[in-house]
Amino acid sequence: MSFEKYEKYPIVENFKREWADKQITQAPIYCSVDLRDGNQALINPLTIEQKLEYFEVLVKMGFKQIEVSYPSASDTDFNFTRKLIEENIVPDDVAIQILIPAKKEWIKRSVEAMRGVKNGIFHLYNPTNEFQRRVVFQKNDDEIVNMAVEAMKYLIEETKDFEGNVIYQYSPESFSQTDLDFAIRICNEVIDVVKPSVDKKMIINLPNTLEACTPNVYADRIEWMCKHLKNREALIVSVHPHNDRGTSVASAELAILAGADKTEGTLFGNGERAGNLDIVNLAFNIYSQGIDPKLDLSIIDEVKKMYEEKTNLKVNPRHPFVGDMIFTAFSGGHQDAIKKGIDFYRQNKSKKWNVPYLPIDPHDIKRGYENVIRVNSQSGKGGVSFIISEFFGVEISKDEAVKFGHIIKDESDRLKRELEKSEIIELYKSFSKNI
């Protein structure tokens, strides 16, 4: 391995950051890009019927912005967009977003897909990093800026007769690899074309399309941009973190502290390479801090089932808050603390959740306590006490718990597996007869 061929990501120099002294106080605007960015990363892209079912679940969860397609890329995407509009499937309080490359013929096709939309976000983009400017497009800086400016002018002209609510969004698509001086120049020139106002805002989206820096550096870049963007009060600043370094959730959280108003991502982080921002993880993080997440997380197991069926992907059993084993403890020390914590919570009718090792109450997502404590040879008296009290209705003494715990350990060792709840209860029945 040759680590010398990689260069350090540049920091934002001569910059006094403010985000580090802030806290998240409210949920951002969420935009699901499952049906576009997530869909293009699937081995088998979704059919129109699958997209529709997926869309309905996103609406049920509470998403108010949903990127539904890249209409110029395929007939499936174009026809799905038309179906949503022509069959009046989109609720009045939901905006559908489409992705549009900065080319006139593709803009025209995309606009046709959105005719009749009630609330539409037209997301225009072009790559902006130095390598793509020089090698891929073989254009100088002025030509790349002109590409974005002329494309936005054309998009505005093509949508001027739309009766619905039209919102323009611009992305310097490779923002994460674009030097800040060029990023601010191209964004500000596009802002000059749109002329947004406080009453009619536009969106500037700053993607971590390839996550190549630590979350604090991304936050610095977002705050720097927020401080240098023209007419900031008339803008919605959006971020689109990918997960190449495995830190997209942290990048999104710090970007919110740095001034981002909107986050784009997908359910469970589906997306190209290491995936997109996991909006589920982000929303649960916000919820666990006592803040309204603005999404219905109580139905997350229903959402998880739909997601796995439609994408043929599996949610990791250790996925924060949602994985099948996320609330499970095998360790004796953890089990004892959990049992005592739950007992205290119930007995004192506590209004604040503070149970060791359980970040949220499993009941919040309609899960019982069946899997909170599972018993194997690593378990102790706390675990068996919990099983017997919770599911057999008998409180056993500390002395009994110690003795019965040894029986359970021996049995688990003998069988070389964890013991089912029913097995533990049957063993306790035999144990209690001999006390």
Side-chain angles (χ1 to χ4, degrees):
M1 296 180 70
S2 178
F3 61 84
E4 292 94 346
K5 67 183 177 185
Y6 301 106
E7 292 186 335
K8 289 185 178 68
Y9 194 96
I11 63 171
V12 182
E13 297 182 341
N14 303 316
F15 173 67
K16 183 175 173 55
R17 68 184 58 80
E18 297 178 35
W19 61 261
D21 293 323
K22 297 180 180 179
Q23 286 186 311
I24 294 176
T25 57
Q26 64 180 16
I29 300 166
Y30 302 105
C31 179
S32 160
V33 294
D34 289 79
L35 300 176
R36 199 279 304 168
D37 202 345
N39 184 53
Q40 75 184 32
L42 296 175
I43 295 172
N44 298 308
L46 302 173
T47 64
I48 288 179
E49 292 73 23
Q50 289 173 321
K51 272 195 163 195
L52 182 57
E53 290 180 57
Y54 206 123
F55 178 83
E56 290 171 346
V57 170
L58 292 172
V59 169
K60 185 177 180 180
M61 280 188 74
F63 282 95
K64 300 304 179 186
Q65 293 187 9
I66 302 172
E67 189 165 88
V68 296
S69 67
Y70 192 141
S72 62
S74 73
D75 288 341
T76 298
D77 273 22
F78 183 93
N79 293 334
F80 174 64
T81 310
R82 293 310 308 151
K83 182 179 182 69
L84 290 175
I85 296 169
E86 291 172 0
E87 298 183 17
N88 199 28
I89 292 169
V90 185
D92 290 345
D93 63 344
V94 173
I96 58 172
Q97 178 172 305
I98 60 168
L99 187 66
I100 312 170
K103 287 191 175 183
K104 284 189 175 182
E105 62 271 27
W106 291 347
I107 293 171
K108 192 172 187 65
R109 174 73 168 166
S110 301
V111 169
E112 288 303 313
M114 290 282 271
R115 290 211 174 272
V117 70
K118 287 180 287 189
N119 291 292
I121 300 173
F122 293 77
H123 181 185
L124 184 76
Y125 79 93
N126 67 318
T128 54
N129 73 306
E130 190 276 334
F131 184 88
Q132 287 176 295
R133 299 195 310 259
R134 174 170 50 86
V135 177
V136 178
F137 291 99
Q138 298 181 358
K139 294 180 182 293
N140 62 34
D141 291 4
D142 291 343
E143 290 172 321
I144 292 293
V145 171
N146 190 59
M147 177 190 294
V149 165
E150 292 303 316
M152 184 58 80
K153 286 179 180 177
Y154 185 70
L155 175 59
I156 292 171
E157 177 66 23
E158 288 293 298
T159 54
K160 66 181 181 181
D161 62 342
F162 272 48
E163 295 180 0
N165 181 36
V166 171
I167 298 173
Y168 301 108
Q169 174 166 321
Y170 173 69
S171 287
E173 186 265 344
S174 47
F175 170 74
S176 50
Q177 277 70 49
T178 302
D179 60 276
L180 289 173
D181 287 341
F182 186 77
I184 199 66
R185 176 191 170 190
I186 196 167
C187 286
N188 280 337
E189 294 211 25
V190 172
I191 291 168
D192 284 342
V193 171
V194 178
K195 296 179 175 62
S197 67
V198 174
D199 295 327
K200 191 168 178 60
K201 296 183 178 184
M202 75 168 292
I203 303 167
I204 293 292
N205 187 53
L206 303 172
N208 231 4
T209 301
L210 178 73
E211 186 184 41
C213 63
T214 53
N216 61 302
V217 174
Y218 186 54
D220 283 353
R221 289 171 63 85
I222 297 303
E223 185 172 329
W224 190 95
M225 289 292 291
C226 285
K227 289 179 175 179
H228 290 83
L229 285 165
K230 286 185 177 180
N231 207 0
R232 174 65 180 91
E233 68 279 2
L235 304 176
I236 295 169
V237 173
S238 172
V239 291
H240 181 108
H242 275 253
N243 197 46
D244 300 274
R245 290 173 57 91
T247 57
S248 60
V249 173
S251 292
E253 290 181 322
L254 299 193
I256 293 168
L257 296 179
D261 308 296
K262 168 181 170 179
T263 56
E264 297 187 344
T266 60
L267 299 181
F268 309 110
N270 175 40
E272 291 176 306
R273 303 179 310 281
N276 285 278
L277 163 68
D278 182 348
I279 282 189
V280 172
N281 194 164
L282 175 63
F284 267 111
N285 283 0
I286 291 170
Y287 175 75
S288 71
Q289 300 301 300
I291 300 168
D292 183 353
K294 302 298 184 182
L295 293 176
D296 185 356
L297 301 176
S298 71
I299 61 169
I300 199 62
D301 279 343
E302 173 189 332
V303 173
K304 174 173 169 276
K305 181 181 178 182
M306 179 282 301
Y307 167 85
E308 292 184 332
E309 288 177 351
K310 298 293 178 289
T311 64
N312 289 317
L313 299 172
K314 291 294 181 184
V315 174
N316 192 296
R318 300 294 184 189
H319 180 284
F321 302 101
V322 182
D324 290 340
M325 298 182 72
I326 193 61
F327 300 119
T328 300
F330 288 102
S331 160
H334 288 199
Q335 291 176 341
D336 186 56
I338 289 170
K339 181 185 187 307
K340 289 173 179 173
I342 290 176
D343 288 345
F344 182 88
Y345 179 76
R346 288 170 170 170
Q347 291 162 9
N348 291 274
K349 298 179 180 175
S350 302
K351 293 183 178 179
K352 295 294 183 181
W353 180 257
N354 186 23
V355 175
Y357 306 112
L358 295 181
I360 65 169
D361 186 347
H363 285 173
D364 290 353
I365 59 171
K366 300 178 182 176
R367 291 190 190 178
Y369 293 143
E370 289 84 355
N371 291 318
V372 167
I373 288 178
R374 289 164 58 176
V375 175
N376 62 17
S377 61
Q378 303 297 306
S379 306
K381 66 181 189 307
V384 295
S385 296
F386 179 85
I387 297 293
I388 297 305
S389 64
E390 188 76 16
F391 304 109
F392 192 55
V394 175
E395 293 291 338
I396 61 179
S397 69
K398 185 175 181 179
D399 183 59
E400 288 175 335
V402 170
K403 292 177 181 177
F404 184 52
H406 286 307
I407 292 172
I408 294 300
K409 278 178 176 289
D410 290 344
E411 183 67 3
S412 181
D413 267 334
R414 184 182 70 82
L415 296 173
K416 295 181 174 54
R417 62 172 174 82
E418 75 168 297
L419 298 181
E420 299 291 333
K421 176 178 63 178
S422 58
E423 293 176 304
I424 295 168
I425 291 172
E426 288 304 313
L427 286 167
Y428 178 74
K429 289 177 182 178
S430 299
F431 167 78
S432 62
K433 289 177 182 177
N434 297 319
I435 295 176

